[in-house]
Amino acid sequence: MRAAYLVAVILGAGVVGGAVATWLITAPRPAFARNADGALEGDPARGKLIFAAGDCASCHASPGQSDRLRLGGGLALASPYGTFRAPNISTDPADGIGSWRTVDLANALLSGVSPTGSHYYPSFPYSSYVKMGLGDVSDLMAYLRTLPAVAGKPPPHDLAFPFQIRRFVGFWKFLYLDRRPIVSDPNRGEAWNRGQYLTEAVAHCAECHSSRNIFGAIKPKTRFAGGTDPEGVGYIPNITPERLGDWKPEEIAEVLKTGATPNHGRVGSSMGDVVTNTAMLPQSDRDAIAVYIKSLPPRDTPQP
């Protein structure tokens, strides 16, 4: 009887300990306290470039209309876990982010945490944005505040069980969210370091041009090597030298400006939207992205 009691106590303690550990591991961890908004003033002109480089309009512009600056959200993003819908990020105070402070945007981008303290799903590519500089976040918010308010909330995500339990995203972050900042390489030139930052953080190129594991995290060995489209329709191209080996940096930069490829073709599908955005960047930024892309290690395209 005494032995059975001890076993029950040990099992009970294990269950309680496991529950506490789970609660701690899955807790949202915002990058900044909400009272840390003091000096976060940004420049909307610089923010406009961050908005373009970050491809924000491609996901958040209201579908069915031509104004890319009406950010009412609603775009449906299919996935193996269900359908995600891009939120309203217009200046509408009720349905968008009009009531947000800069620190709220910083926490969303740099830690995937909402102003209410809940996790965002990583369909919002904060796993790349987490490496953005705070100054760029401030500039982006300054620009977003210049855009029109759009009323209306998109439909909620439609996810299969158990993915609708947001707290479980904490496990994903524990395993896969790399919060380490991008470090400049003193042995590389200014263009390469700028290209690294834009490619890896703001433009989040690897989010599309990589394949993913069953938990939706990028497989490191396929980074930039393309693979099955995240929405399950077609293939995303390999942009490492394995595929672009004979492309010159200036030709890669030209793709980012006009969509025209060296073999007299044109990019299509979602990359067309990307080019609409990268065409707005200064030539020096397109050149920098091209220099960095050209330096990537060659990797084979993964097979399905």
Side-chain angles (χ1 to χ4, degrees):
M1 196 73 172
R2 181 183 177 86
Y5 174 76
L6 288 174
V7 169
V9 169
I10 291 170
L11 289 176
V15 169
V16 172
V20 170
T22 297
W23 187 257
L24 293 175
I25 288 172
T26 61
R29 291 179 173 80
F32 303 97
R34 292 206 70 208
N35 61 0
D37 215 23
L40 300 182
E41 295 297 328
D43 180 339
R46 290 197 300 264
K48 183 177 182 179
L49 297 178
I50 297 300
F51 180 85
D55 210 27
C56 305
S58 295
C59 279
H60 293 283
S62 304
Q65 51 87 47
S66 59
D67 187 348
R68 291 168 56 82
L69 301 183
R70 292 185 60 80
L71 305 176
L75 179 69
L77 302 171
S79 82
Y81 320 105
T83 301
F84 295 95
R85 292 192 181 272
N88 184 330
I89 63 165
S90 79
T91 51
D92 187 278
D95 298 326
I97 63 171
S99 64
W100 284 25
R101 296 177 299 162
T102 303
V103 69
D104 296 321
L105 182 63
N107 281 331
L109 292 169
L110 305 184
S111 52
V113 177
S114 75
T116 60
S118 62
H119 293 297
Y120 285 118
Y121 289 100
S123 55
F124 170 38
Y126 55 78
S127 53
S128 291
Y129 292 149
V130 69
K131 298 182 181 298
M132 286 177 61
L134 185 56
D136 282 344
V137 175
S138 300
D139 292 339
L140 176 59
M141 179 54 108
Y143 177 66
L144 290 173
R145 286 171 174 155
T146 71
L147 301 182
V150 180
K153 282 186 179 293
H157 303 316
D158 182 12
L159 306 178
F161 181 82
F163 304 109
Q164 67 266 53
I165 303 175
R166 284 182 182 262
R167 186 82 183 199
F168 287 172
V169 176
F171 283 120
W172 189 94
K173 290 181 177 180
F174 178 76
L175 293 172
Y176 301 115
L177 184 59
D178 182 2
R179 298 175 185 249
R180 292 175 297 177
I182 290 175
V183 178
S184 294
D185 186 343
N187 297 315
R188 303 275 194 167
E190 181 179 348
W192 185 93
N193 281 295
R194 175 65 174 168
Q196 176 191 218
Y197 174 71
L198 290 171
T199 303
E200 297 283 3
V202 186
H204 59 278
C205 303
E207 299 288 342
C208 281
H209 289 279
S210 309
S211 63
R212 297 175 181 271
N213 63 23
I214 61 171
F215 301 110
I218 289 173
K219 297 178 182 177
K221 291 184 179 180
T222 72
R223 195 170 181 84
F224 297 108
T228 304
D229 185 287
E231 297 191 30
V233 287
Y235 254 71
I236 298 292
N238 186 331
I239 59 170
T240 76
E242 181 68 24
R243 169 65 179 82
L244 305 182
D246 60 344
W247 288 25
K248 299 174 183 177
E250 55 267 29
E251 291 173 327
I252 297 174
E254 182 64 20
V255 171
L256 298 175
K257 181 179 181 181
T258 66
T261 66
N263 56 5
H264 307 293
R266 295 193 66 81
V267 299
S269 189
S270 58
M271 189 62 192
D273 285 337
V274 172
V275 170
T276 298
N277 294 313
T278 54
M280 301 177 189
L281 300 179
Q283 185 64 41
S284 59
D285 278 351
R286 289 191 293 270
D287 290 341
I289 293 171
V291 167
Y292 182 72
I293 292 294
K294 189 69 177 176
S295 77
L296 292 172
R299 293 187 172 119
D300 291 329
T301 300
Q303 298 301 310

